[in-house]
Amino acid sequence: MKPSESLIRQLALLESQSRILEPESSLRDHWMKEVYAYSSQFIDSLEKGPAFVEPEDGPEPMPFSISDHPVPIEDVLNEFDKQVNTTGLNPASGGHLAYIPGGGVFPAGLGDLLAAVSNRYAGIYYASPGTVRLENFLIRWMCSLIGYPSSALGNLTSGGSIANLIAITTARDRHGIVGDKVPQAVIYLTKQVHHCVQKALRIAGLGTAVVRYVPMDNQFRMDAGALEKQVAADLEAGLSPFLLVGSAGTTDTGAMDPLDKLADVAGRHDMWFHVDAAYGGFFILLQEMDSLFCGIERSDSVAIDPHKGLFLPYGLGAVLVKDVEALHRSHFYQAGYLQDVIDEASEPSPADLSPELTKHFRGLRLWLPLKLYGLAPFRAALQEKLLLCRYFYEKIRELGFETGPEPQLSVMIYRFVPPSAADANAFNARLVEEVRKDGRVFLSSTTIDGTFWLRLAVLSFRTHQSTIDMCLKVLKEKIEHLQA
Ligand SMILES: *Cc1c(COP(=O)(O)O)cnc(C)c1O
């Protein structure tokens, strides 16, 4: 027997088995219908459903398993429903008023589906010019929002943390901070900067650089005068100030650093000025915000999160960088096995502007919602979130709560100080715990300079006035209950 005959037989057998991976259209339709029906029912349940569900005491959850045999879609969805899409926080709910919500607009899911099915290669221009053109277009659109020149570009990332990391890495290289220069290099932040910035500094090898926590004003905004003094003192001491990180909307309180003044200081001392606008960035779509954002156009880089301010599902951030050459120098690499990639292209490739090579075509999940809705409803929703936060600010004071600064964006802090309570911090910790157990809305807390605060973060597109009224009602019930 010729060896090739058995080989042919084996191939035929394997082909019949592996062809299962390409289902008939009837099976595709069936799966689609079932997944769509589940999704649709899920969305319809959100309005009345809880924002948080405590795990029940009881037996350990069933272990997940995978075998050689197929499982019907109904059973898989059932397992997903029971074992995954169940306890804990429901980030799709409008009652999610903690951390930084977003919500997950539906067309983003369709974008992900198209990206997965077409599986266009989003890393290199030569491999898929249209894909890269679309992603670069979306990045340039965001650049134009913040007032960067048309030569600016950046990268679509998985989120704000990676966006900040890419910016910091670029700043480090642009200023040649390596080896024994690291301990001399100075970075300026406030204590309210998002912790992913400190994480990024460490990952980028700047863990031994000097970090200055610049004092803040009574609204938790960086004090530009104090910054200038600190930079002068550091120069006097022979150190090298090189990086200033401002926040356009801090996570804790929604504070906007005085970007214009920070840009002045950075400019005077030739520092890289990075703005973390992961939370607040898209409020720039509202004209009334112009003065708060003034100066962001003079920054060197910005991190901004469509999965927050454009209500996309988790998995899309962006870094925008003015000096694309610097971004490129930090991230490109010419690999031998990619030698036939002709890239004298007019469009820079994402693979040369980020640590990623093969990546999710994540631009589609942004493009579809923007196209299908147009920008107007996004603007309206952002304005609604601002006003809802102000509405809550007034109402919660009427309930006798103490508040932090008047909200600049859609996040604010507040706490209840009961006349009888010896320990207000403990009271508020119990309050947030009670709200969590109740589950109708979900709130989080923070501690600033030893004071325990509750936070309200309004950014889900599903949060409306009725949600905030519900939140006020729950808080009122819980303080009465705790004081009884
Ligand atoms: C959420 C947030 C981050 C981190 O972004 P991820 O998308 O969660 O990685 C960074 N900075 C600020 C101000 C944020 O609100």
Side-chain angles (χ1 to χ4, degrees), residues 158-178:
S158 56
S161 300
I162 302 300
N164 280 312
L165 175 62
I166 291 174
I168 284 166
T169 303
T170 305
R172 176 199 68 193
D173 295 349
R174 170 70 185 70
H175 283 257
I177 310 299
V178 284

Side-chain angles (χ1 to χ4, degrees), residues 100 159-162 164 194 196 249-251 276 278-279 305 307-308:
I100 302 288
S161 300
I162 302 300
N164 280 312
H194 193 278
C196 75
T250 58
T251 311
D276 181 3
Y279 152 57
D305 264 357
H307 69 197
K308 290 175 177 168

